[in-house]
Amino acid sequence: MDYMITTKHLTKKYKNITALSDVSIHIPEGSIYGLIGNNGAGKTTLMKVILGIQAPTSGTIKKNNDMTVGAVLDSHAFYPLWSAKRNLNYQLSLIKNTTYTAEELLNIVNLPNSRKPVLQYSYGMKQRLSLALALANKPKLLFLDEPLNGLDPQGIRDIRLLIKRLNGEGATIIISSHILDELQKTVTHVGFLKDGHLVHECRIEEIPDTSLENYYFKKYEGERECAN
């Protein structure tokens, strides 16, 4: 199996706090990999370390540095008094080798092209705008940290279909979400994080339960493991 990303014994410490501890993860090329864990489990930290936003304390990361990368993490860096299109046009002017125009990106994420300032956007609309920017260079590797937050049911469905379409076009996607029923409809692989440790990872079809949510709680209680 070809892996897009692997880590070995990855550890990240902040003074006396260990955010990641001895994490060895395997993300197959062409997969939709779901990171599952409670708040503070280390999901966002793992994404930031793999992306190079933060340096690991120890351990190694193996990835193709030539591949295009996009990410939606935990902040929306947009000018609040500008429209979505103006924000995107400005951001695109700072990026080399962009694939799409601002109008095309807005269409991809189903966000209206209006003069309404981002200040008046709902959290879900800002999520869509962040995703639009992340897709600017048609990334082969896409990180999505809680992309479903603040979305209504139609928005959640739209993002699910978009994720599957992007994956079908060749993107490897790493996604974290607390909406486990939605993850179950989307991901091909899962990794469970607890207190900075990777508890287990497997293909989604190896989980014997029909409900990923039920399995999640059983896994944390240590009652069951993925089938081999």
Side-chain angles (χ1 to χ4, degrees):
M1 180 180 294
D2 293 326
Y3 293 108
M4 183 67 83
I5 294 173
T6 58
T7 70
K8 290 186 178 180
H9 310 300
L10 198 65
T11 297
K12 177 63 179 178
K13 295 182 178 180
Y14 304 98
K15 295 184 178 180
N16 296 326
I17 299 174
T18 301
L20 296 174
S21 180
D22 199 34
V23 172
S24 296
I25 201 167
H26 308 79
I27 300 178
E29 184 176 353
S31 66
I32 304 175
Y33 192 106
L35 289 175
I36 300 173
N38 60 339
N39 291 333
K43 303 184 298 297
T44 301
T45 300
L46 179 59
M47 288 186 176
K48 288 181 176 179
V49 171
I50 293 174
L51 280 164
I53 297 173
Q54 297 181 359
T57 303
S58 62
T60 60
I61 304 169
K62 183 180 179 181
K63 59 182 178 179
N64 182 354
N65 292 323
D66 293 329
M67 62 190 169
T68 52
V69 178
V72 178
L73 298 181
D74 51 5
S75 63
H76 306 289
F78 298 107
Y79 289 99
L81 299 181
W82 289 4
S83 68
K85 182 179 178 180
R86 185 178 179 187
N87 267 287
L88 284 177
N89 277 329
Y90 173 72
Q91 296 284 356
L92 291 177
S93 71
L94 304 177
I95 302 173
K96 294 181 180 179
N97 302 321
T98 56
T99 303
Y100 302 104
T101 66
E103 291 88 348
E104 289 171 333
L105 289 170
L106 291 174
N107 287 332
I108 288 172
V109 299
N110 197 24
L111 194 61
N113 181 7
S114 71
R115 296 182 179 179
K116 184 177 181 179
V118 171
L119 178 66
Q120 297 178 15
Y121 277 18
S122 67
Y123 188 87
M125 293 174 72
K126 291 178 181 177
Q127 286 284 80
R128 288 175 184 258
L129 184 55
S130 294
L131 180 56
L133 181 58
L135 299 178
N137 60 355
K138 199 172 184 179
K140 286 293 185 182
L141 179 61
L142 181 62
F143 294 80
L144 301 176
D145 190 15
E146 299 291 347
L148 305 179
N149 280 358
L151 296 179
D152 58 21
Q154 182 63 50
I156 290 174
R157 182 178 183 272
D158 288 346
I159 297 302
R160 182 209 319 149
L161 295 176
L162 177 58
I163 288 171
K164 289 187 174 182
R165 178 163 71 85
L166 294 170
N167 180 248
E169 294 173 355
T172 299
I173 300 171
I174 304 170
I175 178 173
S176 72
S177 178
H178 293 303
I179 307 177
L180 300 187
D181 288 345
E182 191 60 34
L183 274 187
Q184 189 165 5
K185 299 174 185 177
T186 308
V187 300
T188 61
H189 296 71
V190 289
F192 297 89
L193 287 169
K194 181 179 181 181
D195 300 327
H197 297 269
L198 182 66
V199 178
H200 199 74
E201 60 178 2
C202 62
R203 296 190 303 273
I204 189 68
E205 63 265 23
E206 291 177 319
I207 294 177
D209 298 298
T210 56
S211 168
L212 181 57
E213 179 179 290
N214 288 341
Y215 179 81
Y216 167 77
F217 286 109
K218 290 177 180 179
K219 184 68 180 177
Y220 270 58
E221 293 170 0
E223 294 179 5
R224 304 183 63 163
E225 292 187 355
C226 292
N228 294 321

